[in-house]
Amino acid sequence: MADKDTRIPRETRWPSVLFYLYLHFSALIGLYFVVFEAKWTTIFYTICLVYVSVLGLSAGAHRLWAHLSFRASTVLRGFLAFAQILICQGSLYNWVLEHRLHHAYFGTEKDPFNPHRGFFYAYFTNKLVTSHPDHEKLLKTIDGKDLEQDPIVMWQKRLYWLLAPLLVMVTVFLPSELWDESLVCSIFIVGFLRVTVSLHYSWILNAATIIWGLEPLNKYSIQTNLVFVINKSLWPQYHYTLPWDYQCGEYGNYNHGCITAHIRVWAALRLVTNLRTIDTDGMRKAMIEAASTGQEFNQCAEKYAFDPNLLKIKCELDLERIPS
């Protein structure tokens, strides 16, 4: 509890402030080019790149590697590792460790995106101030053995600072080479604007409980004008209880959304296996077991996790055995 109540003073990191000011100012110039000068092909191309980078973040870095919500084939893991590079937020290895640290110390001063410091801190200003004094030591306590045993993750980590600038240059130069887009337009739109939008998609994930979440014990938490714009629920809080459920979306949804749909399509193509989720009956059994044994609820819930894809295959096999 002390971690929540005792705030550790943070100092402003002025180089970071200047960097993000430059990045966002350049993104605004990119937005001007989108409105007045860019070709529709460039705009569509940029949207596609943003979507692919968010796919690499959400399905890849977050659900696959950070929470082990499913297993993916080598080809799919390679694609998602490349897609994550497009965000320009550091290597998969570092991102996953920091996200696991965020879950391990959620809502405390050791949480690098502590939501108790407010929306703007969780969302963005944590990038502009110094971290917790023990941040590096805490990262070393996070289990990353599964990442170290994944050759794609370690390969991406070793080559990240070579691949990231290379991918940025390739994506920026393609419009001018393929459909005669102005190089200046391409730099500001495909470079600065795309990276800025992708980063905001990533940052807002850490403020999900504030934006889309309801406070579990506060009956007045729904009394906000945000209910006219977004759907608030307890799913973001559920994610911090059972983070391995593949159906739990990054932006306040459950059992639907583009990322979940992608995972199901990949599962149908056998690119994804061992999906992990839990149903109402499993939740009930886990709660009874946790209450009767004193074990942690999430440990009990893991015993009742199942792969819906395997269940579907079993049902299809059972139907085939029924005589016509």
Side-chain angles (χ1 to χ4, degrees), residues 250-316:
E250 286 73 18
Y251 308 108
N253 55 19
Y254 185 85
N255 193 32
H256 64 275
C258 293
I259 306 301
T260 302
H262 272 289
I263 294 172
R264 287 173 178 160
V265 170
W266 294 333
L269 296 172
R270 303 293 190 265
L271 294 171
V272 158
T273 58
N274 295 80
L275 289 87
R276 295 206 290 169
T277 188
I278 191 169
D279 58 13
T280 305
D281 187 52
M283 291 284 284
R284 189 183 299 113
K285 290 177 181 176
M287 285 189 283
I288 293 171
E289 185 175 326
S292 59
T293 63
Q295 287 183 291
E296 292 286 337
F297 169 71
N298 54 2
Q299 293 177 350
C300 297
E302 287 207 35
K303 299 176 185 177
Y304 300 100
F306 68 95
D307 183 344
N309 207 42
L310 288 179
L311 187 63
K312 181 182 176 184
I313 293 170
K314 182 179 181 299
C315 291
E316 290 173 353

Side-chain angles (χ1 to χ4, degrees), residues 175-234:
S176 60
E177 292 294 325
L178 297 182
W179 54 85
D180 296 322
E181 179 61 270
S182 161
L183 183 58
V184 173
C185 273
S186 190
I187 289 171
F188 281 98
I189 297 172
V190 184
F192 291 109
L193 181 60
R194 176 192 64 79
V195 169
T196 304
V197 171
S198 299
L199 284 172
H200 278 281
Y201 264 107
S202 174
W203 296 336
I204 207 167
L205 183 149
N206 300 313
T209 54
I210 299 173
I211 302 171
W212 292 283
L214 293 171
E215 297 176 38
L217 301 179
N218 183 0
K219 65 180 179 180
Y220 299 109
S221 64
I222 199 166
Q223 294 181 2
T224 166
N225 290 331
L226 285 176
V227 297
F228 296 107
V229 183
I230 59 177
N231 181 30
K232 294 179 78 69
S233 68
L234 292 173

Side-chain angles (χ1 to χ4, degrees), residues 58-300:
S58 303
H62 190 224
R63 299 195 207 184
L64 172 58
W65 279 294
H67 298 309
L68 309 175
S69 299
F70 56 90
R71 292 181 184 174
S73 67
T74 303
V75 172
L76 182 58
R77 289 190 353 259
F79 165 74
L80 291 173
F82 264 99
Q84 188 269 344
I85 294 174
L86 287 170
I87 286 191
C88 300
Q89 203 182 11
S91 70
L92 263 172
Y93 183 86
N94 293 334
W95 192 96
V96 169
L97 283 187
E98 189 159 55
H99 190 75
R100 288 179 180 177
L101 177 67
H102 165 57
H103 273 260
Y105 295 100
F106 177 70
T108 71
E109 280 297 290
K110 294 176 182 177
D111 178 359
F113 317 111
N114 184 6
H116 292 291
R117 280 180 169 259
F119 166 73
F120 285 106
Y121 182 86
Y123 175 40
F124 177 61
T125 57
N126 61 81
K127 310 284 183 299
L128 310 179
V129 296
T130 53
S131 304
H132 187 281
D134 297 326
H135 182 70
E136 294 301 321
K137 292 180 182 178
L138 291 168
L139 278 176
K140 292 177 181 178
T141 66
I142 301 300
D143 185 9
K145 290 179 182 177
D146 58 306
L147 300 173
E148 292 166 4
Q149 292 170 0
D150 189 326
I152 290 178
V153 172
M154 299 311 292
W155 170 79
Q156 196 238 43
K157 180 190 176 187
R158 286 192 296 270
L159 298 179
Y160 179 82
W161 291 108
L162 172 66
L163 292 173
L166 185 62
L167 276 180
V168 169
M169 286 190 290
V170 168
T171 53
V172 164
F173 281 108
L174 274 179
S176 60
E177 292 294 325
L178 297 182
W179 54 85
D180 296 322
E181 179 61 270
S182 161
L183 183 58
V184 173
C185 273
S186 190
I187 289 171
F188 281 98
I189 297 172
V190 184
F192 291 109
L193 181 60
R194 176 192 64 79
V195 169
T196 304
V197 171
S198 299
L199 284 172
H200 278 281
Y201 264 107
S202 174
W203 296 336
I204 207 167
L205 183 149
N206 300 313
T209 54
I210 299 173
I211 302 171
W212 292 283
L214 293 171
E215 297 176 38
L217 301 179
N218 183 0
K219 65 180 179 180
Y220 299 109
S221 64
I222 199 166
Q223 294 181 2
T224 166
N225 290 331
L226 285 176
V227 297
F228 296 107
V229 183
I230 59 177
N231 181 30
K232 294 179 78 69
S233 68
L234 292 173
W235 289 122
Q237 281 81 358
Y238 167 83
H239 173 67
Y240 285 90
T241 304
L242 301 180
W244 44 260
D245 190 337
Y246 90 94
Q247 297 188 92
C248 200
E250 286 73 18
Y251 308 108
N253 55 19
Y254 185 85
N255 193 32
H256 64 275
C258 293
I259 306 301
T260 302
H262 272 289
I263 294 172
R264 287 173 178 160
V265 170
W266 294 333
L269 296 172
R270 303 293 190 265
L271 294 171
V272 158
T273 58
N274 295 80
L275 289 87
R276 295 206 290 169
T277 188
I278 191 169
D279 58 13
T280 305
D281 187 52
M283 291 284 284
R284 189 183 299 113
K285 290 177 181 176
M287 285 189 283
I288 293 171
E289 185 175 326
S292 59
T293 63
Q295 287 183 291
E296 292 286 337
F297 169 71
N298 54 2
Q299 293 177 350
C300 297

